[in-house]
Amino acid sequence: MAFSRTEVEKVKKVEKFDPVKRMGMEPPELDPKIPFIGHLIGMLRWQVGYMQMLSCKCPTWPAFTLRIFSARVYVICDPSLIQAAYRNAKTFDFGSFVVESSEKLFNISQQGMKIIRGETAPGYDPNGPLLNGNRGKSFLNEDHRIMMDSLSPGTCLKELSSKVLDGVAGSLNEVNDDGEVFGLYRWMRDTITEASADAIYGPMNPFTGNPELIDDLWHFERDVALLMLQFLPTFIAPKAYQARIAIKKAFASYYANGYDKQASGLIQLHLASCKRWGFSDDDIANFEVSTLFLATTNTVSTSFWQLSYILDDSELHTAIRSELTKVVRRQKSCRTGEERAILDATLLQSHCPLLLSSFHETLRLVGAATSVRSVVEPATLASAATNTSFALQSPAVIQLPSGITHTNPAIWGSDANVFNPARFLPSTKAALDKDTKRKQAQGYFPFGGGKHLCPGRHFATTEILSFVGAIILGFDVSGSRVPERAFQKLGTAVRKPKGDVDISMKRRRGWENVKWSFSVEGRGGEEEVKNLVVGGEELGDE
């Protein structure tokens, strides 16, 4: 979030952080103007941007503590400390956040919540540590493994990517030679949502030919934070509340009719796991709003912003268009005379470095996700790189806001708030000093980190690069601009545009009659996807 000069000046600076003096102590506290509830009011007012405002107040502090009533919230700003927190998944637990959000967002039954909390897992000890059932054999662990296995490089991911790109190609092929005028964000939103639903849930998914249900998904997404409050939802978030009911009803019918038999392997494994652990059909239908929500929300916004940034820079547009010619082949059918343009999605990362760099730069600028963890036992959070350590108490919450590190001039330089498409090129990074390289590698984490590094990152990256790449190479777009960013609500990882952008889009000269398709079977293959640099440090548990 960007703040005006007046707003930033209102934030009074505090003393410089002394790592020696604070060694082994709690992160210093930031006192609110209104005792007990001041920070809560700030979060509700500024939402995602509040932590960035506070960081402006104490730019030298690697971490700080907020007190809300008697609760502690630790906000970690230093990149090396953030990565240390990600590595220690046993002490800094993500499971409790999953449990809390499931209960508040998806209307799960009491029996279903017992399963999610791990209370039906073998060896569960009601007197043991929080969520101890999730530390071994449990539904949450099993479902996480299914997601990781299905969305890691392999056959299942290849099938999902192929199907979602078939849907994208279908939308591109509907654009005619004369040109069409539409809202760019809305068009990309609908294209990605329909294509993702078809790839994940099969041809009989509830969203096929149902634009109202697509709108419902995005009504839910827009006010997800308000639903989390569980306070008069029919009054403060009526569209989101009704959307959740509509989506649940649609999926109840989907499963009742056996349409899941045509769904992806991911859904079939997920469904089998749900039934094995004893979830009711009602709870299973309630879950499904989360799957498509996670598969589309950040992908849509990232695709929109990357395309907008490229279209706004004619030199960048020309350079990326030149790169893309290396990964597209055209062939004409001897029988029908139809010409096809086949984009090899497996070569995008190795043959289109500027496209890939602009993708990461887009995520750096518009991605401001905040990872949340629970401190389940007293612990020390330390960084050898900065010779800093803090004693963290339990119970408490840790927040790891990427919006702070992604635009920090101390990490990215004086142009930290400027779109620089070459910032992530290998040649650019090679010219950096060792300390800056480390800070940037640790301070860029658009997909989270540690054990819960976003399992869908490969799927989303392939979809975004392919969709944006095909538009750049095969179409002429006029009227595009980089719009203002909308206010970023809690629960939103990637900023949205403030209003849509009306554009005119038509086939590029020489590409008028081609039918677009995508290949995920090319020379790039699985090894290239495995080598995708997603930022931060892809580290496991300690």
Side-chain angles (χ1 to χ4, degrees), residues 1 47-49 52 298 362-371 400-407 445-446 485 488-495:
M1 173 175 295
Q47 304 208 23
V48 172
Q52 291 170 255
N298 297 330
T362 299
L363 278 175
R364 185 189 70 82
L365 270 184
V366 302
T370 298
S371 297
L400 312 171
S402 64
I404 292 177
T405 62
H406 281 189
T407 54
F445 48 97
R485 300 170 194 168
Q488 189 173 10
K489 297 181 179 181
L490 288 171
T492 305
V494 179
R495 294 174 171 94

Side-chain angles (χ1 to χ4, degrees), residues 412-430:
W412 304 98
S414 58
D415 66 341
N417 287 294
V418 177
F419 180 78
N420 176 2
R423 195 185 302 273
F424 287 87
L425 286 176
S427 57
T428 304
K429 292 191 288 187

Side-chain angles (χ1 to χ4, degrees), residues 170-229:
S171 186
L172 291 173
N173 290 332
E174 291 176 359
V175 178
N176 60 42
D177 298 343
D178 299 327
E180 297 181 45
V181 178
F182 47 77
L184 181 59
Y185 182 83
R186 177 63 180 258
W187 176 72
M188 298 186 87
R189 188 202 78 169
D190 291 354
T191 294
I192 289 173
T193 304
E194 281 202 60
S196 300
D198 190 62
I200 296 169
Y201 290 103
M204 300 304 293
N205 75 84
F207 292 83
T208 298
N210 192 347
E212 289 185 0
L213 205 61
I214 293 177
D215 288 339
D216 283 332
L217 178 68
W218 291 89
H219 289 322
F220 174 83
E221 186 273 343
R222 186 184 62 194
D223 286 332
V224 68
L226 294 179
L227 288 179
M228 285 281 286
L229 295 176

Side-chain angles (χ1 to χ4, degrees), residues 264-506:
S264 64
L266 166 63
I267 291 302
Q268 294 189 40
L269 289 170
H270 166 72
L271 179 61
S273 176
C274 287
K275 290 183 174 180
R276 186 163 52 250
W277 282 94
F279 284 103
S280 67
D281 292 344
D282 201 56
D283 280 339
I284 292 171
N286 274 322
F287 275 140
E288 295 312 327
V289 67
S290 67
T291 303
L292 202 56
F293 169 83
L294 294 172
T296 58
T297 51
N298 297 330
T299 301
V300 169
S301 294
T302 305
S303 300
F304 169 84
W305 287 113
Q306 184 182 12
L307 180 60
S308 297
Y309 280 123
I310 294 172
L311 293 173
D312 194 55
D313 185 332
S314 58
E315 290 187 10
L316 175 63
H317 183 256
T318 300
I320 290 179
R321 186 174 266 182
S322 177
E323 286 184 341
L324 287 162
T325 60
K326 304 171 187 175
V327 302
V328 175
R329 69 180 188 275
R330 294 172 64 165
Q331 60 185 37
K332 183 175 288 189
S333 170
C334 297
R335 184 173 59 84
T336 65
E338 180 182 79
E339 187 175 14
R340 301 191 70 81
I342 306 169
L343 190 153
D344 189 338
T346 67
L347 297 178
L348 286 168
Q349 295 172 50
S350 59
H351 288 61
C352 303
L354 197 53
L355 177 69
L356 182 61
S357 177
S358 68
F359 165 74
H360 287 302
E361 178 70 347
T362 299
L363 278 175
R364 185 189 70 82
L365 270 184
V366 302
T370 298
S371 297
V372 181
R373 300 290 188 270
S374 294
V375 184
V376 297
E377 59 188 26
T380 298
L381 183 63
S383 165
T386 58
N387 195 31
T388 305
S389 70
F390 291 110
L392 306 185
Q393 303 302 312
S394 176
V397 171
I398 284 184
Q399 291 205 1
L400 312 171
S402 64
I404 292 177
T405 62
H406 281 189
T407 54
N408 187 342
I411 298 174
W412 304 98
S414 58
D415 66 341
N417 287 294
V418 177
F419 180 78
N420 176 2
R423 195 185 302 273
F424 287 87
L425 286 176
S427 57
T428 304
K429 292 191 288 187
L432 301 174
D433 62 78
K434 184 177 180 180
D435 187 54
T436 302
K437 284 181 183 177
R438 176 187 61 79
K439 288 180 180 179
Q440 291 189 3
Q442 294 179 332
Y444 174 67
F445 48 97
F447 299 105
K451 175 182 177 181
H452 293 281
L453 186 67
C454 174
R457 62 196 184 279
H458 300 308
F459 180 62
T461 301
T462 298
E463 185 177 7
I464 293 167
L465 292 179
S466 300
F467 193 13
V468 171
I471 294 172
I472 293 297
L473 183 60
F475 299 84
D476 284 327
V477 180
S478 58
S480 177
R481 59 183 172 82
V482 178
E484 291 183 45
R485 300 170 194 168
F487 180 82
Q488 189 173 10
K489 297 181 179 181
L490 288 171
T492 305
V494 179
R495 294 174 171 94
K496 292 180 174 57
K498 189 176 181 179
D500 210 338
V501 177
D502 290 330
I503 57 98
S504 174
M505 182 171 167
K506 64 179 181 179

Side-chain angles (χ1 to χ4, degrees), residues 22-145:
R22 300 292 310 189
M23 183 74 72
M25 299 171 64
E26 271 192 288
E29 279 191 37
L30 274 177
D31 295 324
K33 290 183 178 180
I34 304 175
F36 304 113
I37 63 170
H39 290 309
L40 178 61
I41 293 172
M43 289 180 186
L44 292 174
R45 180 184 178 188
W46 295 106
Q47 304 208 23
V48 172
Y50 185 61
M51 299 307 170
Q52 291 170 255
M53 290 185 73
L54 295 181
S55 181
C56 291
K57 183 176 182 179
C58 49
T60 64
W61 290 12
F64 51 85
T65 302
L66 308 180
R67 290 290 191 120
I68 302 174
F69 296 110
S70 61
R72 289 182 176 88
V73 177
Y74 298 123
V75 181
I76 314 300
C77 308
D78 177 76
S80 57
L81 288 175
I82 288 171
Q83 296 303 326
Y86 275 134
R87 288 194 297 269
N88 191 354
K90 293 188 174 87
T91 302
F92 308 128
D93 180 64
F94 183 64
S96 56
F97 175 73
V98 175
V99 170
E100 183 179 355
S101 61
S102 297
E103 186 168 19
K104 291 181 176 181
L105 280 181
F106 307 126
N107 199 28
I108 306 299
S109 69
Q110 289 187 3
Q111 177 59 27
M113 287 309 306
K114 286 183 178 180
I115 299 169
I116 291 174
R117 284 193 293 266
E119 294 176 14
T120 64
Y124 173 72
D125 179 4
N127 299 314
L130 180 68
L131 296 173
N132 68 326
N134 293 327
R135 301 186 184 283
K137 185 178 180 182
S138 68
F139 168 74
L140 281 187
N141 272 355
E142 184 175 296
D143 201 53
H144 180 69
R145 283 194 297 272

